[in-house]
Amino acid sequence: MKMKNILTLLALLGQINLNAQNDSQGECLYKDGLGYLHGITKFYNPILAKSLLHRASDLGYAPAMNELGKIHSNGGSFRRNLDSAIFWYKKAIEAGDGEACFNLGKIYQAGSVLSQNFKEAFKYYSKGLEMNNAECKKAAAYMYYKGLGTVQNYSKAFTLFRETAEAGNKTSMYFLGLCYRNGYGTSV
């Protein structure tokens, strides 16, 4: 009985170690990929960059998935492919990347490449709120302030604008000022 418990414990420890190695390896591949993509620390090579980001994504590294979403969304060195961008953003979100929530929410909010859909935008900003992403907080605050994709709620908007303003976001400071001036979610 004890031997079985010991073997189970060793197997779990081995899995934890493997996951840590994958994260570390994924992060290295991601950083190298960014270096090649932007030509900052490496020679500019977008094909190699994309390959490295795919390898990092295969290891489950969420920021690499988000970066692949940006590559497909923005185009640049590659042809824009919105279906691929959405795929990679959703995969990054599943892996816990709050920035991907913001990036996908922006696509739905802007409506420049897809039909504008405030409810979908708010859904992804809300997911990013759960992950404590500052950009999603600011975006959700704006959606609450305007009543876009959700019921207008000045109190929630005020709270979120205050949190992001205290963190130094100038846009949130502006809207917080409007809330105080007009008595939206707080007293005048």
Side-chain angles (χ1 to χ4, degrees):
M1 186 78 166
K2 287 184 180 183
M3 186 61 148
K4 185 177 180 181
N5 289 341
I6 291 171
L7 290 175
T8 302
L9 181 61
L10 287 174
L12 286 172
L13 289 174
Q15 185 63 39
I16 291 169
N17 188 34
L18 183 62
N19 289 342
Q21 286 176 344
N22 283 348
D23 284 350
S24 176
Q25 196 175 17
E27 183 178 5
C28 288
L29 290 166
Y30 167 73
K31 286 180 179 178
D32 280 348
L34 287 182
Y36 284 112
L37 183 64
H38 301 295
I40 299 169
T41 58
K42 311 278 185 193
F43 290 106
Y44 178 71
N45 187 337
I47 303 298
L48 180 56
K50 194 172 176 184
S51 173
L52 291 169
L53 292 170
H54 273 284
R55 287 177 50 202
S57 295
D58 290 343
L59 293 171
Y61 195 67
M65 297 171 199
N66 180 54
E67 194 64 36
L68 286 167
K70 286 196 259 184
I71 286 171
H72 289 289
S73 177
N74 299 334
S77 299
F78 301 97
R79 182 173 289 158
R80 176 183 269 178
N81 184 333
L82 203 56
D83 290 333
S84 290
I86 292 170
F87 168 82
W88 283 110
Y89 285 143
K90 285 183 178 180
K91 196 167 168 110
I93 292 166
E94 288 172 16
D97 191 290
E99 184 182 342
C101 294
F102 176 70
N103 291 332
L104 188 52
K106 275 193 321 186
I107 289 173
Y108 284 109
Q109 183 179 358
S112 56
V113 289
L114 276 180
S115 294
Q116 196 171 43
N117 187 332
F118 292 128
K119 285 187 180 188
E120 281 296 299
F122 184 76
K123 177 177 97 175
Y124 288 107
Y125 294 150
S126 295
K127 283 186 182 190
L129 269 174
E130 293 169 12
M131 297 176 194
N132 205 28
N133 179 274
E135 290 298 318
C136 285
K137 270 187 188 181
K138 179 182 74 173
Y142 181 78
M143 302 291 271
Y144 278 124
Y145 184 86
K146 292 289 191 174
L148 301 172
T150 187
V151 175
Q152 190 172 41
N153 187 326
Y154 288 130
S155 180
K156 287 183 181 180
F158 173 80
T159 300
L160 293 172
F161 280 137
R162 187 180 62 217
E163 287 176 20
T164 52
E166 287 172 357
N169 186 285
K170 291 180 175 127
T171 303
S172 293
M173 291 176 194
Y174 170 78
F175 278 100
L176 187 62
L178 291 178
C179 288
Y180 278 121
R181 184 187 74 186
N182 299 316
Y184 296 157
T186 187
S187 56
V188 176

